[in-house]
Amino acid sequence: MAERVFDILVGPEGDGTRIDAFLSAQDNLPSRSACAKLVEEGKVFINGTPVSSKSEKVVLGDRLMVVLPKGEPETGLLVPNPDIPLDIRFEDQYLIVLSKQAGLVCHPSPGHTDDTLANALVAHCGYGHLGLLQGEDRPGIVHRLDMDTSGLMVAAKSDEVQKVLQDLIRLRVLDRRYVVLVQGYVAPDEGTIETGIARSTRDRLKMTVTDAPGAREAITTFRTLERFEAGRRGEGYSLLECHLYTGRTHQIRIHMRHVGHPVVGDQLYGRKDGRFNLGLKRQFLHSWHIQFEHPVTGEMIERRDSLPPDLLAVLESQEELSMGRTKTGADICPQLAG
């Protein structure tokens, strides 16, 4: 059996965590008990030194190496799909910044085998020219957007670039900002939501806010852009810009629901009464701004992405109910209209 090596940099959320718990919380690594066994087998290293105990704690800045057994890699594991359009906003020999359309899954999953962003990236770059650190079925993927979330994301063309980009996310210096329309009147002009997030024990399709063991730290800051007064339906709406400091599954959607302002159109976490969704069948959530230092050239990469037509139409439908834009909204909202 060949082996697969994972290189992980410990970010602020992992500081002081037991190594078996920290590893089991990472994407593409096995359960906590399996991670403990890897420690016992000498397959886990901290800063080049084998870990002697599963209870050893990691600290901010530690570099972990985990060695996993695997079968021989297949060449071209994914079927290339050239029929999926890629809206590329920046590309060089190292990475791609693109705008993902709503309805597109990032990588293969049950029911989606050859119609994903990963299949499109294979068609565009070739399987052998994409980073594989997230797994052989996730070529190029650095971070994900939910299927029905649109907007900017980054793909990597090598393991080395993929690793650096993932480190930038863990160290919270890859700036990702989202625009979201939520139900209700959000009074503060800005705020921070900080909770633990874990998979729901009642519904495995959902995540939930919890302080239970195994929950991962999730931090979202927001700035209010514009408020809309209540009309014949609903309690009004608020347009926000959210800044992710962590990248948990469904993080913004979970946090908005947690504070009593579910995302408009959210079919999983939103209100069941569709009258509040302004005709949307998907969540009003768009990755509109991304900024980071290029891992190789050092160039500052910054891209903005205006709202797609379905989300822009919803905003335009509420224009007469606008209560005015905040100072931040006066700057950002014109950029969202394209």
Side-chain angles (χ1 to χ4, degrees):
M1 299 287 282
E3 291 181 323
R4 180 168 44 164
V5 177
F6 285 87
D7 185 275
I8 304 166
L9 180 68
V10 178
E13 74 280 1
D15 191 25
T17 305
R18 279 176 52 127
I19 192 164
D20 55 347
F22 176 80
L23 292 177
S24 65
Q26 307 305 306
D27 292 337
N28 302 312
L29 290 183
S31 67
R32 184 166 179 170
S33 59
C35 286
K37 186 176 180 181
L38 288 173
V39 171
E40 294 174 0
E41 294 174 348
K43 301 291 188 179
V44 180
F45 302 80
I46 295 181
N47 303 322
T49 302
V51 178
S52 58
S53 171
K54 63 183 180 182
S55 63
E56 186 169 339
K57 295 183 178 180
V58 298
V59 297
L60 176 65
D62 275 346
R63 175 75 66 180
L64 308 185
M65 186 176 73
V66 183
V67 182
L68 288 178
K70 67 165 187 174
E72 292 298 328
E74 301 176 46
T75 300
L77 183 66
L78 296 190
V79 176
N81 189 335
D83 295 327
I84 300 174
L86 290 176
D87 184 358
I88 295 174
R89 305 302 178 86
F90 173 87
E91 181 177 12
D92 63 11
Q93 67 189 90
Y94 306 106
L95 58 87
I96 298 173
V97 178
L98 59 89
S99 178
K100 185 188 82 68
Q101 57 268 44
L104 181 63
V105 177
C106 281
H107 55 73
S109 60
H112 298 276
T113 56
D114 59 5
D115 59 349
T116 74
L117 174 62
N119 298 100
L121 287 171
V122 169
H124 181 74
C125 299
Y127 188 80
H129 300 283
L130 292 165
L132 299 176
L133 291 183
Q134 288 275 19
E136 294 171 7
D137 62 339
R138 303 181 183 189
I141 302 298
V142 174
H143 61 109
R144 293 169 285 177
L145 295 179
D146 297 336
M147 180 176 72
D148 287 329
T149 298
S150 54
L152 297 171
M153 57 186 301
V154 185
K157 293 186 176 183
S158 69
D159 288 358
E160 294 76 16
V161 170
Q162 191 176 34
K163 178 173 70 67
V164 175
L165 290 171
Q166 289 173 342
D167 287 348
L168 294 180
I169 291 174
R170 291 189 181 101
L171 296 175
R172 303 174 183 172
V173 292
L174 194 153
D175 192 344
R176 296 170 290 164
R177 298 179 186 267
Y178 296 73
V179 171
V180 56
L181 185 68
V182 301
Q183 295 172 1
Y185 182 92
V186 176
D189 282 350
E190 59 183 37
T192 299
I193 307 168
E194 184 171 0
T195 71
I197 287 181
R199 190 163 298 279
S200 170
T201 57
R202 296 181 179 181
D203 185 344
R204 301 302 292 174
L205 294 178
K206 292 184 176 182
M207 307 299 287
T208 188
V209 167
T210 178
D211 292 327
R216 303 179 69 183
E217 180 188 37
I219 304 172
T220 305
T221 64
F222 68 86
R223 299 190 292 177
T224 303
L225 305 179
E226 189 171 6
R227 301 178 179 92
F228 302 90
E229 64 184 21
R232 289 179 298 173
R233 297 174 180 172
E235 301 170 350
Y237 300 92
S238 299
L239 185 69
L240 311 177
E241 182 198 57
C242 291
H243 182 195
L244 285 183
Y245 284 91
T246 54
R248 309 303 174 217
T249 301
H250 302 168
Q251 179 173 320
I252 292 175
R253 298 162 66 189
I254 285 289
H255 272 171
M256 290 300 108
R257 177 182 177 180
H258 177 65
V259 298
H261 297 287
V263 177
V264 171
D266 194 330
Q267 303 299 306
L268 189 61
Y269 299 105
R271 293 182 177 179
K272 300 306 179 185
D273 190 337
R275 294 177 300 172
F276 298 106
N277 288 329
L278 302 175
L280 275 180
K281 299 299 183 182
R282 61 107 165 181
Q283 60 265 15
F284 192 121
L285 183 58
H286 181 70
S287 173
W288 92 277
H289 179 269
I290 194 165
Q291 182 175 346
F292 60 94
E293 184 177 303
H294 194 293
V296 179
T297 68
E299 174 188 0
M300 185 59 67
I301 306 296
E302 182 179 12
R303 290 296 183 273
R304 295 176 174 85
D305 189 17
S306 57
L307 291 174
D310 61 336
L311 303 187
L312 189 58
V314 166
L315 277 190
E316 291 174 345
S317 75
Q318 298 299 297
E319 280 183 354
E320 293 184 358
L321 297 174
S322 176
M323 301 174 68
R325 294 170 177 171
T326 64
K327 183 177 179 181
T328 301
D331 174 50
I332 290 178
C333 287
Q335 301 179 59
L336 300 177

